């Protein structure tokens, strides 16, 4: 009898493992969740009342997000009818391996987002967007296809809300001083403070032992003509791909109005056995997922799980998601 019990246990464990694998590879990767946040800002222009800001991150189109699933996700986003659309980085997973036909198919699919948001579509670069020439080229092409503007250490002001985008902290050159220049006449001390807080000259050096920065020769684009208003600055929204530097940026003390940072990169661990986030990538170790409050700043940080996958094309206890934010 004990032998039969052991065999039964083995069979049940095998079935459970198989069920978990099937769930992770074929079910959960499609079960998109919508995380909704309210960022209340007293005195913010009435213009923002009932406006919907939608942020997506970590698409990883390619092995991390095949074309049929991408079309499905983009259909959900289109149905939201956002007023302002944001992207927090990592557009492709394996752009170096795309055939010309695959590249064109992904660009055609991404073009569904063009002209979707009346207030515009703004993005920042993630580590996978600038890790190789092919990735940088695909990112730039996708920006054109989607009608999006990449904010590489740049900012603009929309009806009392300053939107800023910082470059990737691993392979890029984030520059808080440049991004803040719209609202701060002399922001250089902010960047100096951040460097001091991090103990390094730029956030990417914190991970030199874990990753090696590839050659990155792309320069930030020249400032285009931007829609601006004369409404006094009431709030700031900062896009950055990796979340950990946000705390140092907030502690810099240069944010005189409520500030919300939005990032991705962590995938919420992507595979979380028993709900434990075992994997926390570099620059997402301290703030791996969810909403973090920094009352002394004042400011908040939201880290999203993103939509695609990296490495293993599966998710477990970390479903794909996008953010909907109302001010």
């Amino acid at each position: 009898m004990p032998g039969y019990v052991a065999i039964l246990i083995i069979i049940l464990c095998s079935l459970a493992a198989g069920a978990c694998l099937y769930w992770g590879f074929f079910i959960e990767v499609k079960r998109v969740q919508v995380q909704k946040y309210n960022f209340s800002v007293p005195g913010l222009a009435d213009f923002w009342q009932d406006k919907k800001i939608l942020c997506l991150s970590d698409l990883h189109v390619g092995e991390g997000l095949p074309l049929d699933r991408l079309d499905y996700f983009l259909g959900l986003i289109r149905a939201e009818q956002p007023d302002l659309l944001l992207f927090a980085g990592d557009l492709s997973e394996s752009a170096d391996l795309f055939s010309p036909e695959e590249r064109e198919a992904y660009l055609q699919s991404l073009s569904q987002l063009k002209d979707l948001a009346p207030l515009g579509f703004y993005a920042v670069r993630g580590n996978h967007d600038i890790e190789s020439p092919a990735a940088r080229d695909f990112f730039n092409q996708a920006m054109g296809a989607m009608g999006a503007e990449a904010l590489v250490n740049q900012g603009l002001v929309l009806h009392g809300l300053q939107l800023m985008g910082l470059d990737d902290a691993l392979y890029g050159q984030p520059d808080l001083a440049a991004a803040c220049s719209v609202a701060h006449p002399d922001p250089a001390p902010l960047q100096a403070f951040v460097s001091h807080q991090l103990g390094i000259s730029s956030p990417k050096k914190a991970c030199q032992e874990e990753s090696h920065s590839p050659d990155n020769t792309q320069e930030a684009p020249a400032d285009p003509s931007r829609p601006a208003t004369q409404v006094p600055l009431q709030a700031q929204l900062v896009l950055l791909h990796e979340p950990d530097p946000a705390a140092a940026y907030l502690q810099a003390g240069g944010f005189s109005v409520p500030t919300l940072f939005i990032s991705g990169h962590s995938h919420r661990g992507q595979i979380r056995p028993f709900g434990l986030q075992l994997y926390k990538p570099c620059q997402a170790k301290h703030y791996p997922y969810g909403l973090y409050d920094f009352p002394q700043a004042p400011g908040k940080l939201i880290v999203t799980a993103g939509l695609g996958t990296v490495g293993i094309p599966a998710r477990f206890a970390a479903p794909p998601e996008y953010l909907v934010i109302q001010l």
Side-chain angles (χ1 to χ4, degrees):
M1 182 64 69
Y4 288 109
V5 172
I7 292 173
L8 180 60
I9 291 174
I10 292 173
I11 292 174
L12 291 176
C13 288
S14 299
L15 290 174
C20 288
L21 288 172
Y22 184 83
W23 176 269
F25 279 89
F26 299 103
I27 305 297
E28 185 165 320
V29 289
K30 302 176 183 178
R31 291 172 56 87
V32 181
Q33 295 187 351
V34 184
Q35 297 295 338
K36 297 183 178 181
Y37 295 92
N38 290 316
F39 186 51
S40 179
V41 181
L44 187 63
D46 291 340
F47 172 85
W48 289 104
Q49 186 174 358
D50 299 325
K51 293 292 191 297
K52 180 187 292 186
I53 301 173
L54 190 149
C55 181
L56 56 152
S57 182
D58 296 277
L59 284 175
H60 290 273
V61 301
E63 294 180 0
L65 186 62
L67 187 61
D68 59 342
R69 198 181 307 152
L70 173 63
D71 285 333
Y72 170 64
F73 286 174
L74 296 184
L76 297 177
I77 291 168
R78 288 181 59 83
E80 292 280 357
Q81 297 184 321
D83 297 288
L84 178 63
L85 190 57
L86 306 174
F87 178 65
D90 273 5
L91 184 66
S92 65
E93 167 66 7
S94 51
D96 301 69
L97 304 178
F98 290 168
S99 68
E101 293 77 18
E102 288 174 323
R103 176 182 289 254
E104 183 59 33
Y106 284 119
L107 292 174
Q108 182 65 34
S109 179
L110 291 167
S111 69
Q112 298 178 57
L113 298 180
K114 190 171 185 178
D115 300 326
L116 175 61
L119 295 179
F121 185 1
Y122 299 95
V124 293
R125 308 187 301 184
N127 54 299
H128 283 277
D129 298 319
I130 55 178
E131 64 181 356
S132 70
R136 295 194 291 271
D137 182 60
F138 181 77
F139 180 84
N140 292 334
Q141 286 185 310
M143 292 297 103
M146 297 186 295
E149 179 180 347
L151 297 177
V152 184
N153 302 319
Q154 294 171 291
L156 68 153
V157 179
L158 292 170
H159 298 274
L161 173 69
Q162 182 180 19
L163 173 64
M164 291 182 284
L166 293 170
D167 200 11
D168 179 70
L170 292 177
Y171 294 161
Q173 295 181 334
D175 188 339
L176 181 64
C180 289
S181 61
V182 174
H184 298 276
D186 184 21
L190 300 182
Q191 186 67 30
F193 181 90
V194 170
S195 299
H196 175 72
Q197 288 293 103
L198 295 171
I200 51 178
S201 59
S202 68
K204 69 180 179 181
K205 295 189 183 299
C207 296
Q208 280 187 337
E209 293 183 359
E210 298 182 42
S211 63
H212 301 283
S213 174
D215 179 36
N216 180 17
T217 58
Q218 179 173 334
E219 297 182 356
D223 286 341
S225 174
R226 301 181 181 280
T229 70
Q230 299 302 317
V231 178
L233 188 65
Q234 298 293 333
Q236 292 171 311
L237 196 159
V238 184
L239 274 180
L240 72 169
H241 183 62
E242 293 89 0
D244 282 359
Y249 288 136
L250 282 168
Q251 292 171 18
F255 299 101
S256 58
V257 295
T259 302
L260 175 64
F261 283 77
I262 302 178
S263 69
H265 185 57
S266 74
H267 294 237
R268 198 183 179 182
Q270 194 169 301
I271 305 295
R272 299 195 313 139
F274 307 105
L276 299 176
Q277 186 163 336
L278 302 179
Y279 175 65
K280 298 178 182 179
C282 182
Q283 292 293 356
K285 296 183 182 299
H286 299 293
Y287 306 103
Y289 175 74
L291 176 65
Y292 300 91
D293 196 3
F294 300 90
Q296 72 278 10
K300 298 179 184 293
L301 165 67
I302 298 174
V303 184
T304 176
L307 285 167
T309 62
V310 62
I312 301 173
R315 283 178 175 267
F316 191 82
E321 66 178 35
Y322 58 84
L323 308 176
V324 170
I325 299 168
Q326 290 190 304
L327 302 176

